[in-house]
Amino acid sequence: MLGTTALAGSSALPPLPRLPMSKVADNMERPLVLIVDDDEDVRSALEELLLSVGIDARCFGSTQELLHADLPERPGCLILDVRMPGASGLDLQQHLASNGNTRPIIFLTGHGDIAMTVQAMKAGAVDFLTKPVRDQTLLDVVTTGIEKDIAQRTAARLVKQHVDRYSKLTPREREVLREVAKGRLNKQIAFDLGISEITVKLHRGNVTKKMQATSIGQLIRIWELLPAEIRGERSP
Amino acid sequence: MTSSVHKAVAGGREQSFTSPPGMELSDFASESVGSRLDSLRATDISVEADMLPSMQVPPEIMRKWQEIVDLLADILNVPSALIMRVEPPNIKVFVSSESKGNPYEPDEVACLNTGLYCETVMNTRRPLIVPDALQDEAWKSNPDIKLGMISYLGVPVSWPDGEIFGTICVLDKKSNGYSELYLRLLLQWRDVLQADLRSIAAAQREIEQREAKIRRLVDANIIGIIIWNVDGQILDANSEFLRIVGYDQHDLLSGRVSWADMTPPEWRDRNALAISELKNKGAVQPFEKEYIRKDGSRIPVLIGVASLEETEGQGVAFVLDLTERRRAEAEARESERRFRNMQMELAHANRLATLGQLTASITHEVKQPITAVLLNIQTAQRFLTRQQPDIERAKKAIDRAVLNGMRITEVVDRTHALVRKEPTRKDSLEINEAISEVIGLTRGEVLKNGVQVRTQLAEGLPVIQGSRVQIQQVMLNLIVNAVEAMSQMSDDRRELLISTQAEADCVLVAVRDSGPGLSEGDIERAFEAFYTTKSSGLGMGLSICRSIVEDHGGRLWAAANVPKGAAFQFTIPINSDCQD
């Protein structure tokens, strides 16, 4: 009964027809796992295992190969061997992080040493597995990674939506929104901004409408999801 | 030398009479001279014999002397012309004319001191003429009268040193005055005889000298010398031979020493071969065999054999004691064996130590295919346990697992070959392949230390003759050393370049690193045993590598690499036998 329970999310996906990459790429929401291992046998075994449960995978022989590849914007995760010729898995992890690439990383290693594991996990690795690895363990971790990426991507999309809406606010509306988010009363806001309470109420109504919030509570949550640099805008 | 004749004669008088001393001359008359001489012949004579009297007169001279006496008898017209030879205590008819009425047979002997004409001639050393003994009181009763010989003319014949040989004489049954002319003729013949004796004596001296030399050789006892016969007996042996086989002179004289008995059963065939070779060629190339000594122990010998020309079925053999040489050989073999053993132990210890450093690397090398096997098999299981099993893809996954499994076997075999302790065999091998395997084994170590490995392995290199394990051991040492050297550096680029190329008569292998390099002194001392710049390790690695390479007929040296680091290079001669 391998994989049927733990990988419920994945097995819910219809079995993939063996289609050329170009056609599969149309479905931008299908997860894609990137495998980087210098050992070809391990690489292809990993790929085949993932394909057997309907997860697309692409293999790379080195970190350089991956960095030079043209990758589709699809959710998924990275399976990295720690020790490879040239830049190691840990090097790649750093490199991706510094470029804002948030793809979750699963490390595979022939010889897990504690220092390395700690370093990888601190840098945000999903997991650190030692070779040889059990298929179920790996698939579980891969699923976790994919789910995490999907969640991240959803969150990122949401934030982007909010930012877009926020950008449509007038400067005055933004000021009112910031003050509302601080929990200040209309009266106080009107006093601080030197406008009438009625005007504040009007702005507030516009902001709620433009940000597509249904209540003040939701508006405040949306505000909190906005990137820090926006929230800190024009702050004293 | 007259005295010696007298002495001989005197000796003869004391011992040689078979007839009682009081026997009358008349007693002889009733017997034939021949039978009397026969009885004398059996007498045991222990007179000290000088060399000359026993000397052989060669046949060609005997023929000449026969001609002389025949002529003499003819010219003088007498029945007997004789050449007598003294053989104390007798006198012998040495040559007798083949003339009518001659009663003297060659080789007849007569006792001295019986008043013979010749005796007087020999004693006086002067010619003697007896015209008619019957008329002469002094000769009336001399023994020759019994044969009817009443007249005599004889002159003495001497050896060159003056010792008496005998006489040349004529005898007649009738009274004969013998003219002076005849005496001169006789003296002339005497001179001829004496000239012959001179040449015989000279030849004899030569032989003696030669024999003395041989005797000295035999008695020097540097090698054992034996005279043997085909029946298996040893007829004569020098004391060195007796020492070799542990017998003594007494054993030899009593005939207890037999080469056939002394030859161990397993050597009998070789012996038979030698004897047939001897028959065909007259001599046998020296060969090694064993003898059983008197005490039953065995002794190795080298033996050379030659047959003796004159004596059928006999031969001479030279026997050299090989005990000492065998012992020295055994010692040399033993020390060689110990040396080889020690070298093998050291080489093995070095391999183990080097591999020990590579444990993590080798584990990695094995874990990769194991990981692949497990993944592939688990994948196959998934394909098979699906609601709609995909047999085709499951089979593909299993096929891949099989290949992965073979790769594991390869890695394990390779490692095991290096761990094993056994004498190394030199086979034909492709050096690039052997080197690639080592690069595989050290891969993990190289990665761990962040080293970039580049290879430039020349294609189509000639096959070399060598021990795979040993060549790999050298590579293992050089690579591990290089990685270790580079790991000491902080931030610089760590590069390892491994290259092979064909030279005129060898294959050149180079391992270059970008490490701190070697100082002048290090380069010189790097190959010394126990010299190390590292805190760990015995410092045996490079020393062992060098002896391995030299054992293959090649060279191993170190130099500075450009622009930095160290370069270790070695050559292995091309095995011309393996070229097509």
Side-chain angles (χ1 to χ4, degrees), chain B residues 103-306:
Chain B
Y104 300 98
E105 295 286 331
D107 292 336
E108 269 182 44
V109 291
C111 276
L112 290 167
N113 297 315
T114 49
L116 293 163
Y117 300 122
C118 289
E119 223 183 303
T120 304
V121 173
M122 291 193 303
N123 286 342
T124 59
R125 299 283 180 120
R126 293 173 62 83
L128 171 69
I129 299 179
V130 180
D132 188 346
L134 297 176
Q135 306 302 315
D136 191 333
E137 201 55 39
W139 295 104
K140 217 162 144 165
S141 56
N142 91 77
D144 292 310
I145 289 178
K146 309 265 188 326
L147 300 169
M149 293 303 172
I150 59 164
S151 70
Y152 176 89
L153 170 64
V155 296
V157 180
S158 302
W159 288 101
D161 63 359
E163 191 159 343
I164 200 78
F165 170 83
T167 65
I168 177 166
C169 59
V170 290
L171 296 103
D172 203 349
K173 288 178 177 167
K174 58 183 193 295
S175 167
N176 193 332
Y178 302 111
S179 72
E180 201 219 327
L181 204 61
Y182 290 156
L183 174 63
R184 276 167 56 197
L185 182 64
L186 213 55
L187 286 169
Q188 207 61 53
W189 288 130
R190 192 264 327 256
D191 290 346
V192 171
L193 260 50
Q194 289 191 164
D196 288 342
L197 288 176
R198 244 194 320 279
S199 67
I200 291 173
Q204 180 66 26
R205 257 197 312 281
E206 215 171 278
I207 291 169
E208 274 168 29
Q209 280 167 0
R210 213 162 43 221
E211 273 187 355
K213 277 185 201 160
I214 293 170
R215 196 72 236 168
R216 272 201 300 282
L217 171 71
V218 171
D219 293 342
N221 289 319
I222 296 164
I223 56 173
I225 298 173
I226 54 171
I227 307 286
W228 55 272
N229 66 14
V230 286
D231 301 328
Q233 289 167 309
I234 288 175
L235 307 173
D236 200 359
N238 68 350
S239 40
E240 171 62 6
F241 179 80
L242 294 174
R243 184 199 66 74
I244 291 172
V245 293
Y247 286 90
D248 58 27
Q249 202 66 36
H250 189 71
D251 297 320
L252 180 68
L253 289 175
S254 60
R256 272 199 293 269
V257 190
S258 152
W259 61 261
D261 293 345
M262 283 193 305
T263 300
E266 67 268 30
W267 285 102
R268 290 202 179 130
D269 287 349
R270 181 68 189 89
N271 248 24
L273 196 72
I275 285 175
S276 79
E277 191 183 337
L278 188 65
K279 272 179 189 155
N280 294 331
K281 299 180 186 162
V284 178
Q285 281 293 312
F287 65 99
E288 292 182 10
K289 64 174 275 183
E290 280 183 326
Y291 275 133
I292 301 171
R293 304 180 84 239
K294 192 182 184 183
D295 62 11
S297 62
R298 299 250 182 134
I299 188 159
V301 293
L302 179 73
I303 182 167
V305 186

Side-chain angles (χ1 to χ4, degrees), chain A residues 149-160:
Chain A
D149 195 34
I150 290 172
Q152 276 175 2
R153 282 165 188 274
T154 310
R157 255 199 315 274
L158 215 58
V159 169
K160 191 170 177 295

Side-chain angles (χ1 to χ4, degrees), chain B residues 64-123:
Chain B
K64 179 176 158 192
W65 289 6
Q66 184 68 50
E67 184 72 18
I68 287 172
V69 292
D70 290 352
L71 269 173
L72 214 47
D74 240 15
I75 293 166
L76 271 68
N77 194 26
V78 291
S80 300
L82 308 172
I83 296 170
M84 304 295 288
R85 183 173 183 176
V86 64
E87 285 183 355
N90 300 319
I91 184 160
K92 181 172 99 172
V93 177
F94 197 60
V95 188
S96 177
S97 60
E98 289 169 353
S99 45
K100 199 164 166 261
N102 184 1
Y104 300 98
E105 295 286 331
D107 292 336
E108 269 182 44
V109 291
C111 276
L112 290 167
N113 297 315
T114 49
L116 293 163
Y117 300 122
C118 289
E119 223 183 303
T120 304
V121 173
M122 291 193 303
N123 286 342

Side-chain angles (χ1 to χ4, degrees), chain B residues 202-501:
Chain B
Q204 180 66 26
R205 257 197 312 281
E206 215 171 278
I207 291 169
E208 274 168 29
Q209 280 167 0
R210 213 162 43 221
E211 273 187 355
K213 277 185 201 160
I214 293 170
R215 196 72 236 168
R216 272 201 300 282
L217 171 71
V218 171
D219 293 342
N221 289 319
I222 296 164
I223 56 173
I225 298 173
I226 54 171
I227 307 286
W228 55 272
N229 66 14
V230 286
D231 301 328
Q233 289 167 309
I234 288 175
L235 307 173
D236 200 359
N238 68 350
S239 40
E240 171 62 6
F241 179 80
L242 294 174
R243 184 199 66 74
I244 291 172
V245 293
Y247 286 90
D248 58 27
Q249 202 66 36
H250 189 71
D251 297 320
L252 180 68
L253 289 175
S254 60
R256 272 199 293 269
V257 190
S258 152
W259 61 261
D261 293 345
M262 283 193 305
T263 300
E266 67 268 30
W267 285 102
R268 290 202 179 130
D269 287 349
R270 181 68 189 89
N271 248 24
L273 196 72
I275 285 175
S276 79
E277 191 183 337
L278 188 65
K279 272 179 189 155
N280 294 331
K281 299 180 186 162
V284 178
Q285 281 293 312
F287 65 99
E288 292 182 10
K289 64 174 275 183
E290 280 183 326
Y291 275 133
I292 301 171
R293 304 180 84 239
K294 192 182 184 183
D295 62 11
S297 62
R298 299 250 182 134
I299 188 159
V301 293
L302 179 73
I303 182 167
V305 186
S307 56
L308 291 175
E309 275 174 23
E310 301 84 15
T311 35
E312 186 74 22
Q314 285 189 16
V316 61
F318 306 93
V319 181
L320 193 65
D321 181 358
L322 293 181
T323 313
E324 198 50 36
R325 206 172 89 182
R326 280 289 146 76
R327 203 180 52 75
E329 279 170 3
E331 258 175 29
R333 265 200 307 276
E334 173 62 17
S335 76
E336 170 77 359
R337 193 190 63 77
R338 269 200 301 256
F339 176 69
R340 290 257 152 225
N341 239 6
M342 205 171 76
Q343 261 196 334
M344 204 178 85
E345 292 280 351
L346 269 179
H348 181 240
N350 166 262
R351 284 205 298 276
L352 284 189
T354 319
L355 283 176
Q357 281 176 269
L358 294 179
T359 326
S361 173
I362 294 165
T363 310
H364 180 79
E365 224 8 53
V366 180
K367 265 191 188 164
Q368 292 287 50
I370 287 178
T371 304
V373 167
L374 291 175
L375 287 173
N376 280 319
I377 288 176
Q378 291 171 131
T379 303
Q381 282 176 330
R382 282 178 186 278
F383 281 125
L384 292 174
T385 53
R386 276 181 174 181
Q387 274 181 331
Q388 282 184 320
D390 189 336
I391 307 279
E392 193 49 40
R393 289 178 75 185
K395 187 184 170 298
K396 276 185 183 154
I398 290 169
D399 287 348
R400 280 197 308 272
V402 169
L403 291 176
N404 302 146
M406 292 190 322
R407 191 177 138 202
I408 299 171
T409 313
E410 273 172 36
V411 175
V412 171
D413 283 352
R414 254 181 265 152
T415 314
H416 184 58
L418 288 167
V419 174
R420 243 181 339 214
K421 180 163 71 180
E422 61 179 29
T424 46
R425 271 196 347 232
K426 288 203 176 86
D427 294 319
S428 300
L429 71 94
E430 295 197 16
I431 199 155
N432 283 349
E433 196 191 304
I435 289 174
S436 299
E437 283 184 10
V438 178
I439 294 175
L441 279 184
T442 52
R443 213 169 129 271
E445 186 70 10
V446 159
L447 288 178
K448 192 173 82 187
N449 288 286
V451 175
Q452 291 264 45
V453 181
R454 285 195 300 132
T455 53
Q456 286 176 1
L457 306 180
E459 276 173 37
L461 282 183
V463 170
I464 60 154
Q465 190 77 4
S467 152
R468 183 183 207 85
V469 165
Q470 288 192 332
I471 301 277
Q472 291 189 329
Q473 177 170 9
V474 173
M475 285 309 292
L476 208 55
N477 272 281
L478 296 183
I479 292 175
V480 169
N481 277 352
V483 170
E484 218 166 83
M486 287 189 283
S487 70
Q488 295 162 5
M489 303 187 311
S490 43
D491 281 332
D492 290 327
R493 230 174 132 72
R494 298 172 181 182
E495 264 192 350
L496 185 63
L497 173 62
I498 297 166
S499 64
T500 56
Q501 66 188 84

Side-chain angles (χ1 to χ4, degrees), chain A:
Chain A
M1 303 315 287
L2 289 160
T4 47
T5 49
L7 208 68
S10 304
S11 53
L13 292 166
L16 267 185
R18 300 285 285 170
L19 290 173
M21 213 48 184
S22 58
K23 287 193 182 166
V24 175
D26 291 343
N27 186 351
M28 294 300 279
E29 287 311 305
R30 279 185 61 90
L32 175 68
V33 175
L34 308 175
I35 300 164
V36 189
D37 194 309
D38 62 323
D39 192 298
E40 208 212 317
D41 287 358
V42 175
R43 246 181 2 242
S44 51
L46 284 170
E47 182 184 21
E48 196 60 22
L49 174 67
L50 292 175
L51 287 177
S52 77
V53 295
I55 301 174
D56 291 343
R58 260 182 82 182
C59 294
F60 303 91
S62 68
T63 49
Q64 280 83 356
E65 230 179 87
L66 174 82
L67 291 174
H68 291 121
D70 190 13
L71 296 170
E73 262 308 307
R74 290 168 61 181
C77 63
L78 264 166
I79 300 176
L80 276 185
D81 191 341
V82 177
R83 199 166 282 170
M84 282 179 296
S88 74
L90 292 176
D91 293 339
L92 181 65
Q93 185 186 28
Q94 275 179 358
H95 182 85
L96 293 177
S98 63
N99 283 359
N101 195 322
T102 54
R103 243 192 212 92
I105 296 176
I106 298 156
F107 279 105
L108 267 184
T109 176
H111 26 69
D113 75 67
I114 293 171
M116 207 187 279
T117 316
V118 170
Q119 193 193 335
M121 296 308 287
K122 267 187 176 170
V126 179
D127 214 333
F128 201 98
L129 304 175
T130 46
K131 290 178 182 175
V133 63
R134 232 179 83 76
D135 61 341
Q136 195 54 61
T137 312
L138 182 76
L139 291 175
D140 287 350
V141 174
V142 167
T143 309
T144 309
I146 291 171
E147 281 166 356
K148 187 179 172 194
D149 195 34
I150 290 172
Q152 276 175 2
R153 282 165 188 274
T154 310
R157 255 199 315 274
L158 215 58
V159 169
K160 191 170 177 295
Q161 224 168 41
H162 295 323
V163 172
D164 286 348
R165 288 169 189 163
Y166 177 80
S167 67
K168 291 185 179 113
L169 300 182
T170 64
R172 182 58 89 191
E173 285 167 348
R174 293 180 191 182
E175 275 175 326
V176 171
L177 174 57
R178 183 176 300 106
E179 294 305 313
V180 170
K182 280 181 189 162
R184 292 173 72 92
L185 302 173
N186 290 347
K187 214 185 299 182
Q188 291 169 309
I189 298 168
F191 178 78
D192 286 351
L193 297 179
I195 54 175
S196 70
E197 205 179 328
I198 297 292
T199 312
V200 171
K201 273 187 182 168
L202 192 67
H203 284 313
R204 203 164 124 170
N206 283 343
V207 168
T208 311
K209 201 162 71 200
K210 280 183 178 174
M211 294 306 285
Q212 299 189 8
T214 50
S215 66
I216 284 297
Q218 198 185 9
L219 186 64
I220 291 171
R221 276 199 300 282
I222 288 171
W223 168 257
E224 280 165 356
L225 282 174
L226 286 173
E229 56 270 26
I230 291 176
R231 284 183 279 126
E233 202 179 59
R234 284 212 289 167
S235 65

